Amino acid sequence: MAKKPIILGIETSCDETAVSLVQDNDSGVPKILSNVISSQFDVHKEFGGVVPELAARSHIEKIDLIAKKAIKESGVKLNDISAVAATVGPGLIVCLSVGLNFGKAMASSLNIPFIGVNHLEGHALSPKLHTKLDYPYLLLLISGGHSQYLSVNGLGNYKRLGTTIDDALGEAFDKTAKLLGIEFPGGPKLEKYAKKGDPKKFQLPMPIINKGGCNLSFAGLKTAILRISKNLKSEQEKFDLAASFQNTIENILFIKTKKAFEEFKKNNLNEKQFFVVAGGVAANKGIRDKLTEVSKQCNFQTIYPNINLCGDNAAMISMVGLEKYKLNQFDELDLPASPRLPLDKNAKFLKGAGVKI
Ligand code: KG4
Ligand code: ZN
């Protein structure tokens, strides 16, 4: 019997250096043979955000080591790798270039196909690494640089239903955390703070909640937090503000997701609909619970990637690479990095610089 294809995937779009090997499987759910991630948390901590030049330097220092580790852990011989996939965008150009060039060099020396992968497509399809999932489905992509509702109609076939008009949700979490004195990236810790506070203590705005369809906006929320955070009198009030923020986000997503469901249903009349929530912020338990609640109300079934696959990783890049490999969708070795690559080809532009949309 012919061996199932094995794809080596590389992810270096921002501050994670990651390499993974994934193999096709008859079950329809590919097998993760290895999934190595090295975070640059310590490199950027003191700056309160990702410094592109330092991120790129760290990728250069680590990529070789991480690739060797991933290959060793997978038990795969170099000659058994069918293709190399690497993130082509969106992301920081200096960071993308490291993984992209490494991947091209590897594909060239092994004389196997090279496949460029859209980082957002990796997130969009990430639950397929453990769940058999058919198209179409509604996707809410929420991470440090992205916040959007998309109709996922097939591989490479996306229709954007709504997007943030200013900050991404992960960015809102990180900025709020910073104002509360939590170190970068504060999202996960902010969620912990919120558990100790009173969610009703502070009244926070819900920008564009009754307009703009399923577009999102978080900048006004950040301004309100900035004002309130200056007058906090105790540690308990910090927890209360975190809880009020978490609660407001949950309510915004509840209302906007209902709108996205309506929008999605206009073109999809199936009895049972699927709703995938992906990206780093999809690890937030409170958000998961709230989105599960609204899904039940509207007859959608929620699917979340496993927690370890919510943040940036290379398994999702290998998996998209595998889907493209099976369709013979290969790229030339002169494929350039694409820092503002959208997922929906009809979306005119990605807002903000680098990884933001
Ligand atoms: O997908 P990701 O790893 O990187 C990007 O592509 O941006 O997402 C990172 C973002 C950060 O803003 C981080 O604070 C946020 O996801 N995040 C969370 C949680 N875990 C990660 N935000 C809220 N609650 C969490 N539990
Ligand atoms: Zn990401």
Side-chain angles (χ1 to χ4, degrees):
M1 207 173 61
K3 259 202 228 142
K4 296 280 176 202
I6 296 172
I7 310 296
L8 180 139
I10 302 167
E11 158 61 36
T12 61
S13 66
C14 191
D15 58 344
E16 257 91 32
T17 317
V19 178
S20 166
L21 281 92
V22 160
Q23 184 167 31
D24 197 16
N25 206 353
D26 283 332
S27 67
V29 176
K31 195 168 173 216
I32 302 176
L33 304 176
S34 65
N35 187 21
V36 181
I37 306 173
S38 170
S39 177
Q40 301 176 358
F41 177 71
D42 289 338
V43 177
H44 306 289
K45 198 167 56 178
E46 65 181 288
F47 303 101
V50 177
V51 183
E53 174 67 26
L54 295 181
R57 199 182 299 176
S58 177
H59 286 311
I60 292 167
E61 281 165 11
K62 284 195 242 167
I63 185 75
D64 197 36
L65 210 75
I66 300 296
K68 277 189 183 138
K69 191 162 185 253
I71 293 166
K72 191 166 177 219
E73 280 183 14
S74 72
V76 169
K77 293 194 191 71
L78 278 181
N79 285 341
D80 289 333
I81 298 173
S82 315
V84 178
T87 303
V88 62
L92 300 164
I93 190 158
V94 282
C95 296
L96 289 165
S97 303
V98 178
L100 204 56
N101 289 334
F102 188 88
K104 288 174 182 174
M106 217 179 147
S108 168
S109 66
L110 293 172
N111 203 17
I112 54 177
F114 172 75
I115 301 165
V117 172
N118 184 321
H119 176 86
L120 304 180
E121 187 154 39
H123 280 303
L125 271 53
S126 54
K128 280 171 159 263
L129 282 162
H130 50 73
T131 307
K132 198 165 176 321
L133 182 60
D134 293 325
Y135 304 113
Y137 55 84
L138 176 69
L139 168 73
L140 170 61
L141 181 56
I142 36 176
S143 67
H146 338 114
S147 299
Q148 50 183 324
Y149 290 99
L150 293 139
S151 174
V152 181
N153 304 324
L155 185 71
N157 185 354
Y158 298 84
K159 185 167 186 284
R160 197 163 83 181
L161 306 179
T163 185
T164 177
I165 58 167
D166 39 57
D167 293 350
L169 184 52
E171 201 181 349
F173 263 95
D174 294 340
K175 285 179 178 168
T176 299
K178 201 172 174 182
L179 290 171
L180 294 178
I182 303 171
E183 67 184 15
F184 176 83
K189 265 196 205 153
L190 185 70
E191 190 190 1
K192 291 202 181 97
Y193 266 48
K195 291 204 176 96
K196 298 187 215 166
D198 172 5
K200 301 248 156 59
K201 178 74 192 269
F202 296 103
Q203 197 71 32
L204 296 170
M206 299 207 286
I208 67 163
I209 202 68
N210 293 317
K211 55 183 181 186
C214 37
N215 281 334
L216 299 157
S217 167
F218 302 109
L221 197 53
K222 183 185 63 194
T223 314
I225 302 238
L226 172 66
R227 187 174 38 79
I228 298 169
S229 65
K230 285 183 180 150
N231 298 312
L232 293 181
K233 292 183 185 65
S234 65
E235 193 68 3
Q236 184 56 46
E237 281 198 340
K238 266 193 189 178
F239 297 142
D240 292 342
L241 186 51
S244 302
F245 172 78
Q246 168 81 33
N247 184 45
T248 305
I249 294 296
E250 287 173 15
N251 290 336
I252 291 173
L253 292 181
F254 187 96
I255 293 166
K256 289 292 183 174
T257 298
K258 244 185 178 172
K259 292 201 166 106
F261 285 159
E262 281 164 23
E263 205 54 43
F264 181 78
K265 278 182 175 169
K266 283 183 189 164
N267 293 312
N268 298 284
L269 303 171
N270 303 351
E271 181 88 350
K272 187 84 194 159
Q273 311 276 12
F274 293 91
F275 176 43
V276 169
V277 188
V281 188
N284 186 292
K285 171 88 170 50
I287 291 177
R288 284 188 175 215
D289 290 348
K290 198 73 175 181
L291 292 175
T292 302
E293 188 187 325
V294 66
S295 300
K296 279 190 184 142
Q297 270 186 23
C298 302
N299 206 20
F300 272 73
Q301 186 184 325
T302 38
I303 298 175
Y304 300 102
N306 289 345
I307 296 283
N308 67 327
L309 296 171
C310 283
D312 290 346
N313 66 85
M316 65 184 193
I317 304 303
S318 304
M319 192 259 304
V320 175
L322 177 60
E323 296 226 347
K324 289 181 128 189
Y325 178 85
K326 291 201 274 185
L327 296 172
N328 285 328
Q329 292 183 9
F330 307 141
D331 288 295
E332 299 295 335
L333 291 180
D334 61 356
L335 180 76
S338 198
R340 289 158 70 87
L341 187 67
L343 198 43
D344 174 358
K345 294 193 174 66
N346 294 321
K348 288 276 183 300
F349 65 98
L350 295 179
K351 265 184 68 60
V355 290
K356 266 193 244 161
I357 54 171

mmCIF file of all heavy atoms in Angstrom, residues 26 48-49 56 122 138 168 208 227 243-244 263 285 316 320 323 335:
data_model
loop_
_atom_site.group_PDB
_atom_site.id
_atom_site.type_symbol
_atom_site.label_atom_id
_atom_site.label_comp_id
_atom_site.label_asym_id
_atom_site.label_seq_id
_atom_site.Cartn_x
_atom_site.Cartn_y
_atom_site.Cartn_z
ATOM 1 N N ASP A 26 -6.646 7.728 6.752
ATOM 2 C CA ASP A 26 -7.907 7.313 6.128
ATOM 3 C C ASP A 26 -9.128 7.851 6.854
ATOM 4 O O ASP A 26 -10.187 8.049 6.260
ATOM 5 C CB ASP A 26 -8.001 5.781 6.080
ATOM 6 C CG ASP A 26 -7.120 5.238 4.965
ATOM 7 O OD1 ASP A 26 -6.911 5.977 3.981
ATOM 8 O OD2 ASP A 26 -6.619 4.106 5.095
ATOM 9 N N GLY A 48 6.771 44.953 26.397
ATOM 10 C CA GLY A 48 5.307 45.024 26.439
ATOM 11 C C GLY A 48 4.642 44.746 25.100
ATOM 12 O O GLY A 48 3.480 45.070 24.900
ATOM 13 N N GLY A 49 5.364 44.178 24.162
ATOM 14 C CA GLY A 49 4.796 43.846 22.841
ATOM 15 C C GLY A 49 5.893 43.217 21.984
ATOM 16 O O GLY A 49 7.064 43.213 22.377
ATOM 17 N N ALA A 56 12.545 38.397 14.577
ATOM 18 C CA ALA A 56 13.187 37.781 13.402
ATOM 19 C C ALA A 56 14.522 37.143 13.796
ATOM 20 O O ALA A 56 14.838 36.026 13.382
ATOM 21 C CB ALA A 56 13.397 38.830 12.318
ATOM 22 N N GLY A 122 -4.724 28.486 8.342
ATOM 23 C CA GLY A 122 -4.297 27.513 9.362
ATOM 24 C C GLY A 122 -5.235 27.562 10.557
ATOM 25 O O GLY A 122 -5.773 26.536 10.991
ATOM 26 N N LEU A 138 -19.482 28.319 9.687
ATOM 27 C CA LEU A 138 -19.240 29.711 10.079
ATOM 28 C C LEU A 138 -18.014 29.727 10.990
ATOM 29 O O LEU A 138 -17.879 28.856 11.861
ATOM 30 C CB LEU A 138 -20.454 30.277 10.819
ATOM 31 C CG LEU A 138 -20.275 31.702 11.356
ATOM 32 C CD1 LEU A 138 -20.198 32.720 10.213
ATOM 33 C CD2 LEU A 138 -21.422 32.083 12.295
ATOM 34 N N ALA A 168 -7.955 44.338 17.221
ATOM 35 C CA ALA A 168 -8.315 42.916 17.263
ATOM 36 C C ALA A 168 -8.666 42.573 18.716
ATOM 37 O O ALA A 168 -8.247 43.277 19.649
ATOM 38 C CB ALA A 168 -7.149 42.075 16.796
ATOM 39 N N ILE A 208 -20.502 50.017 18.553
ATOM 40 C CA ILE A 208 -21.276 49.613 17.356
ATOM 41 C C ILE A 208 -22.139 48.359 17.556
ATOM 42 O O ILE A 208 -22.328 47.582 16.633
ATOM 43 C CB ILE A 208 -20.394 49.476 16.077
ATOM 44 C CG1 ILE A 208 -19.388 48.310 16.163
ATOM 45 C CG2 ILE A 208 -19.668 50.764 15.746
ATOM 46 C CD1 ILE A 208 -18.813 47.902 14.789
ATOM 47 N N ARG A 227 -9.548 55.251 31.285
ATOM 48 C CA ARG A 227 -10.086 56.272 32.198
ATOM 49 C C ARG A 227 -10.343 55.664 33.588
ATOM 50 O O ARG A 227 -9.872 56.203 34.598
ATOM 51 C CB ARG A 227 -11.392 56.814 31.590
ATOM 52 C CG ARG A 227 -11.998 57.995 32.299
ATOM 53 C CD ARG A 227 -13.213 58.549 31.549
ATOM 54 N NE ARG A 227 -14.066 57.543 30.931
ATOM 55 C CZ ARG A 227 -14.968 56.802 31.573
ATOM 56 N NH1 ARG A 227 -15.140 56.958 32.854
ATOM 57 N NH2 ARG A 227 -15.697 55.916 30.917
ATOM 58 N N ALA A 243 -13.074 41.629 35.419
ATOM 59 C CA ALA A 243 -14.322 40.850 35.290
ATOM 60 C C ALA A 243 -15.342 41.607 34.432
ATOM 61 O O ALA A 243 -16.043 41.003 33.611
ATOM 62 C CB ALA A 243 -14.901 40.570 36.673
ATOM 63 N N SER A 244 -15.397 42.934 34.607
ATOM 64 C CA SER A 244 -16.337 43.735 33.825
ATOM 65 C C SER A 244 -15.947 43.717 32.350
ATOM 66 O O SER A 244 -16.806 43.657 31.459
ATOM 67 C CB SER A 244 -16.366 45.180 34.334
ATOM 68 O OG SER A 244 -16.725 45.196 35.699
ATOM 69 N N GLU A 263 -26.700 36.087 9.086
ATOM 70 C CA GLU A 263 -26.022 36.366 7.816
ATOM 71 C C GLU A 263 -25.629 35.056 7.125
ATOM 72 O O GLU A 263 -25.861 34.864 5.936
ATOM 73 C CB GLU A 263 -24.770 37.208 8.130
ATOM 74 C CG GLU A 263 -24.248 38.093 7.039
ATOM 75 C CD GLU A 263 -25.285 39.040 6.472
ATOM 76 O OE1 GLU A 263 -26.071 39.657 7.237
ATOM 77 O OE2 GLU A 263 -25.330 39.124 5.238
ATOM 78 N N LYS A 285 -12.129 30.499 28.360
ATOM 79 C CA LYS A 285 -13.228 29.615 28.775
ATOM 80 C C LYS A 285 -14.570 30.350 28.829
ATOM 81 O O LYS A 285 -15.593 29.832 28.388
ATOM 82 C CB LYS A 285 -12.839 29.027 30.147
ATOM 83 C CG LYS A 285 -13.876 28.255 30.870
ATOM 84 C CD LYS A 285 -13.845 26.778 30.472
ATOM 85 C CE LYS A 285 -14.707 25.884 31.330
ATOM 86 N NZ LYS A 285 -16.077 26.280 31.548
ATOM 87 N N MET A 316 -1.171 23.318 12.263
ATOM 88 C CA MET A 316 -2.242 23.855 11.404
ATOM 89 C C MET A 316 -1.698 24.218 10.021
ATOM 90 O O MET A 316 -2.410 24.129 9.022
ATOM 91 C CB MET A 316 -2.929 25.059 12.078
ATOM 92 C CG MET A 316 -2.058 26.279 12.271
ATOM 93 S SD MET A 316 -2.951 27.586 13.191
ATOM 94 C CE MET A 316 -1.849 29.005 12.898
ATOM 95 N N VAL A 320 -3.037 22.430 6.474
ATOM 96 C CA VAL A 320 -3.481 23.134 5.253
ATOM 97 C C VAL A 320 -2.567 22.726 4.096
ATOM 98 O O VAL A 320 -3.031 22.496 2.968
ATOM 99 C CB VAL A 320 -3.464 24.677 5.452
ATOM 100 C CG1 VAL A 320 -3.813 25.384 4.148
ATOM 101 C CG2 VAL A 320 -4.437 25.086 6.548
ATOM 102 N N GLU A 323 -3.809 19.497 2.740
ATOM 103 C CA GLU A 323 -5.013 19.638 1.887
ATOM 104 C C GLU A 323 -4.625 20.175 0.505
ATOM 105 O O GLU A 323 -5.159 19.740 -0.511
ATOM 106 C CB GLU A 323 -6.041 20.553 2.564
ATOM 107 C CG GLU A 323 -6.576 19.967 3.868
ATOM 108 C CD GLU A 323 -8.091 20.053 4.035
ATOM 109 O OE1 GLU A 323 -8.755 20.765 3.279
ATOM 110 O OE2 GLU A 323 -8.604 19.370 4.949
ATOM 111 N N LEU A 335 7.996 32.488 -4.476
ATOM 112 C CA LEU A 335 6.803 33.028 -3.791
ATOM 113 C C LEU A 335 7.232 34.040 -2.713
ATOM 114 O O LEU A 335 7.969 33.687 -1.796
ATOM 115 C CB LEU A 335 6.033 31.872 -3.137
ATOM 116 C CG LEU A 335 4.757 32.257 -2.380
ATOM 117 C CD1 LEU A 335 3.621 32.573 -3.351
ATOM 118 C CD2 LEU A 335 4.334 31.137 -1.434
#
